[in-house]
Amino acid sequence: MFKRQFLTFTLILCTTISCKNTGVENGKEDSKSTNRPNILFIMSDDHAYQAISAYDTTLIKTPHIDRIAKEGMLFTNASVTNSICAPSRATILTGKHTHLNGKIDNLTPFDTTQVTFPQLFKRAGYQTAMFGKLHFGNSPKGFDEFKIVPGQGSYINPDFITTKGDTIQKTGYATDIITDFTLDWLDTKRNPEKPFLMLYLHKAPHRAWWPNAAKFKAFSKRKFPEPESLFDDYQNRGTAAKTAEMNIFKHMLLSYDCKVFPETLAEMEVDTDPRNTRLFNGGDFYRMNPEQLQLYKPVVDSITNHFKENWPKMNDQEKTSWKYQRYIQDYLACISSVDDNVGRVLDYLDKNDLAKNTIVIYTSDQGFYLGEHGWFDKRFMYNESFKTPLLIKWPNQIKPGTTSDEMVQNLDFAQTFLEAAGISAPEDMQGESLIPLLTGNTEIWDRDGVYYHYYEYPAEHAVKRHYGIATKTHKLMHFYHDVDEWELYDLEKDPNEMNNVYANPEYSSVVDQLKKELDALRKKYKDSPELDRKFIDSYNKKKSKK
């Protein structure tokens, strides 16, 4: 105990000294400060860890993203607190669980009185910028400059809301344009006398997965291995897995998702879901100029012709495989562009002598299903959705090529960045700084389990509300609202989470212990059954008004 207290005191003392050395005291900037690290936070939307070759080489090679791990640290047990886009982003910005920052789902407005870490950075003298996808609010606080896509944004010829409050449209591909904005700011607008905080946020690879024209053509001709659980029948899981609406065979749309022309579906009387028209009649295909159409249309023609010729002859399993290939081709093609563009930014840092004093973080707002359990999308606490990629490099602080299997979350990002910059974190932030893990002081890290809570139900994809605790060895989840079911997974014996062992007598002591730990986490993070009821009642009121 004494050793632990001493180490904690030492870290606090070092951090305090660091704050004074960096010239940040009482939230004010010392104009003579020059040694505070820059921070480049790179986040993609729905980027599964399985689709980064530093984690798994089965599907794709991502050499540029991998560079961050080779020069820094790869986290194998990083996770989110709520696996859905806007709530995840709100947690990252505020350092608080969604039940406290108020952004529990994609529909609830973000409470703009919440203090975000970019506001603290700006107040402390950092130059701040954000380019790409925020997903909520059109006027984020704490940025000297931003260009953000409205809502989900578009892949082709996207619109951007600017710091001036106007909206501009840029011709081209979103991933390239967001990178162009980032590089231009670093090259022409960055004040070399100040450290910078840059949020470089990709829209890709969010549904409906439009690659750039060259990669669309190339990847549409490739065939990828299927996951072992593509044809999962959910027999050893509860109601939630059986009733979710994200099954590739049943719920993936042939036009909107798979890029078959809707006129062909109408002609064949196949998949008449009205959402299929969104992509071609009002979405990215609709936004293309004549030159872009000349590049994309032949590929869509090829996909459509192949579908028309082969679909009627396929059985259900073959149809599932066909949909999976179409999905994964476009998804991975989008990621390939992200990787290319991350390389552009890393190269810029290297060539302009910025890399040595810049912390680079690559992550996603959550994980994603790439056919595992037969699914696409996210939301569940099962691994592919719950876990998120996290790679961080910090020259002279992180030993290159290191790996951490500690239980970390996006809840921890804000406090990590603030400590690295020597800025005091607000007391109501709920995460833990990752600095001890990054710098090798692992003795003072003692987190054994992490907390998760998902709220957006009933809604798209029909994933039931649930909360739970995950440790390195087990995961316990409680599904509630219109069900009352528990699930337990032995992650060592069943890493693919195929068998719920909650009712198995051999695990009774594990259940009892995890329930105690879960209750403790609920109290620690100020979550409760009363809040659960409050959010359900609020949702029902909104629904009744509609």
Side-chain angles (χ1 to χ4, degrees):
M1 176 62 74
F2 174 77
K3 178 182 178 183
R4 176 184 172 79
Q5 290 176 337
F6 176 75
L7 287 168
T8 303
F9 171 77
T10 302
L11 181 65
I12 293 172
L13 179 64
C14 291
T15 302
T16 303
I17 294 172
S18 174
C19 288
K20 291 182 179 179
N21 287 342
T22 57
V24 180
E25 194 170 356
N26 298 323
K28 295 182 180 179
E29 173 195 6
D30 177 352
S31 61
K32 297 180 181 179
S33 167
T34 57
N35 62 344
R36 287 178 286 171
N38 307 309
I39 295 179
L40 173 64
F41 179 71
I42 311 171
M43 184 166 68
S44 296
D45 195 308
D46 293 342
H47 191 171
Y49 64 88
Q50 313 93 287
I52 295 177
S53 48
Y55 287 95
D56 191 335
T57 58
T58 302
L59 292 173
I60 192 172
K61 292 182 179 179
T62 51
H64 303 296
I65 296 172
D66 290 358
R67 279 168 58 186
I68 301 172
K70 289 178 182 177
E71 298 174 15
M73 182 173 287
L74 178 79
F75 287 85
T76 59
N77 268 324
S79 63
V80 297
T81 65
N82 185 350
S83 184
I84 188 168
C85 296
S88 176
R89 292 158 189 267
T91 290
I92 290 170
L93 288 173
T94 64
K96 291 187 278 191
H97 276 274
T98 52
H99 62 270
L100 290 190
N101 67 46
K103 189 65 178 166
I104 61 168
D105 53 36
N106 278 341
L107 307 175
T108 306
F110 178 66
D111 177 5
T112 57
T113 66
Q114 294 283 324
V115 174
T116 63
F117 78 82
Q119 291 174 267
L120 301 175
F121 270 82
K122 185 176 181 181
R123 191 182 305 163
Y126 269 70
Q127 191 179 11
T128 58
M130 174 196 286
F131 300 113
K133 179 180 176 180
L134 173 62
H135 197 190
F136 58 85
N138 294 337
S139 184
K141 296 179 180 179
F143 295 98
D144 295 307
E145 182 174 353
F146 63 78
K147 293 186 179 73
I148 55 174
V149 298
Q152 297 287 7
S154 301
Y155 279 104
I156 310 298
N157 304 333
D159 296 327
F160 291 89
I161 300 166
T162 78
T163 319
K164 299 176 182 178
D166 60 345
T167 300
I168 61 174
Q169 184 179 36
K170 301 293 289 186
T171 300
Y173 186 64
T175 306
D176 300 330
I177 295 168
I178 292 167
T179 305
D180 292 343
F181 287 154
T182 300
L183 291 174
D184 178 68
W185 188 90
L186 288 170
D187 199 45
T188 67
K189 299 177 183 178
R190 180 181 62 86
N191 182 350
E193 301 299 316
K194 286 187 172 186
F196 67 80
L197 168 70
M198 165 66 74
L199 273 61
Y200 167 45
L201 310 176
H202 284 294
K203 170 198 166 47
H206 193 277
R207 190 183 186 189
W209 317 299
W210 267 113
N212 74 22
K215 292 184 187 292
F216 187 39
K217 180 179 180 179
F219 276 70
S220 69
K221 301 179 185 300
R222 294 177 60 181
K223 186 173 182 179
F224 294 92
E226 296 176 352
E228 292 179 15
S229 58
L230 179 61
F231 301 102
D232 191 349
D233 59 10
Y234 318 116
Q235 287 304 304
N236 298 312
R237 262 65 50 80
T239 304
K242 295 180 176 70
T243 59
E245 296 176 359
M246 57 173 69
N247 182 272
I248 288 176
F249 174 65
K250 295 179 180 178
H251 305 115
M252 183 168 278
L253 301 172
L254 284 167
S255 183
Y256 183 73
D257 294 319
C258 299
K259 314 301 188 299
V260 176
F261 275 125
E263 295 82 2
T264 299
L265 299 182
E267 175 188 330
M268 297 173 65
E269 298 183 348
V270 174
D271 195 2
T272 56
D273 191 310
R275 292 175 296 172
N276 270 314
T277 62
R278 292 187 303 186
L279 189 71
F280 288 93
N281 296 337
D284 283 296
F285 196 82
Y286 176 82
R287 299 177 69 88
M288 294 179 189
N289 61 37
E291 292 77 16
Q292 292 165 333
L293 278 171
Q294 287 182 356
L295 298 174
Y296 279 92
K297 190 175 181 299
V299 183
V300 179
D301 283 337
S302 176
I303 292 166
T304 300
N305 290 337
H306 183 272
F307 171 84
K308 189 174 182 178
E309 180 180 351
N310 292 281
W311 188 262
K313 299 179 288 187
M314 297 179 188
N315 59 35
D316 289 352
Q317 183 167 320
E318 291 168 334
K319 289 176 179 178
T320 300
S321 295
W322 189 91
K323 281 187 167 184
Y324 168 76
Q325 291 299 330
R326 273 281 56 246
Y327 161 44
I328 206 69
Q329 288 164 353
D330 291 346
Y331 180 92
L332 295 176
C334 290
I335 285 174
S336 182
S337 287
V338 170
D339 187 65
D340 291 345
N341 280 279
V342 167
R344 291 173 62 198
V345 176
L346 295 178
D347 287 346
Y348 180 91
L349 296 179
D350 288 341
K351 292 175 183 177
N352 290 275
D353 200 30
L354 289 171
K356 64 184 180 182
N357 195 36
T358 300
I359 302 172
V360 179
I361 303 95
Y362 187 89
T363 190
S364 174
D365 49 358
Q366 62 264 319
F368 213 69
Y369 293 103
L370 305 184
E372 298 90 358
H373 304 296
W375 288 334
F376 64 103
D377 206 68
K378 57 260 185 177
R379 300 166 199 262
F380 274 114
M381 197 184 174
Y382 303 125
N383 272 347
E384 292 83 7
S385 168
F386 170 64
K387 293 176 71 172
T388 193
L390 179 61
L391 307 84
I392 306 178
K393 77 181 187 81
W394 187 3
N396 302 316
Q397 296 291 333
I398 299 175
K399 183 180 178 181
T402 53
T403 299
S404 174
D405 69 347
E406 296 296 339
M407 305 297 292
V408 304
Q409 287 193 294
N410 58 355
L411 183 72
D412 303 321
F413 294 172
Q415 282 164 275
T416 303
F417 304 156
L418 290 167
E419 182 176 338
I423 303 170
S424 298
E427 291 184 0
D428 63 349
M429 282 189 174
Q430 296 182 304
E432 296 182 33
S433 170
L434 304 180
I435 297 296
L437 299 179
L438 299 178
T439 57
N441 296 312
T442 56
E443 298 92 345
I444 63 174
W445 184 268
D446 68 345
R447 181 189 283 164
D448 296 320
V450 293
Y451 181 62
Y452 179 89
H453 200 151
Y454 174 79
Y455 299 88
E456 193 169 295
Y457 177 87
E460 186 174 6
H461 296 300
V463 173
K464 295 186 182 299
R465 298 180 186 226
H466 60 292
Y467 58 85
I469 179 174
T471 69
K472 291 181 182 179
T473 59
H474 295 87
K475 187 181 294 177
L476 178 71
M477 294 178 278
H478 180 214
F479 292 89
Y480 68 97
H481 181 242
D482 59 345
V483 295
D484 181 9
E485 297 181 1
W486 289 84
E487 296 185 12
L488 173 69
Y489 294 92
D490 185 330
L491 301 177
E492 293 182 318
K493 296 180 179 179
D494 180 25
N496 294 326
E497 299 168 307
M498 301 294 286
N499 297 293
N500 174 20
V501 294
Y502 178 79
N504 187 330
E506 295 179 10
Y507 288 87
S508 60
S509 61
V510 176
V511 169
D512 290 343
Q513 180 61 32
L514 286 179
K515 280 191 174 181
K516 290 177 183 177
E517 294 178 18
L518 178 57
D519 287 342
L521 286 180
R522 296 260 282 173
K523 291 175 182 176
K524 174 182 177 180
Y525 293 124
K526 302 178 182 178
D527 202 1
S528 66
E530 290 76 22
L531 272 179
D532 299 345
R533 186 71 254 168
K534 173 186 172 183
F535 290 134
I536 291 171
D537 290 343
S538 175
Y539 181 89
N540 290 338
K541 287 179 182 177
K542 291 177 185 176
K543 190 174 181 181
S544 64
K545 288 180 180 179
K546 291 183 179 180

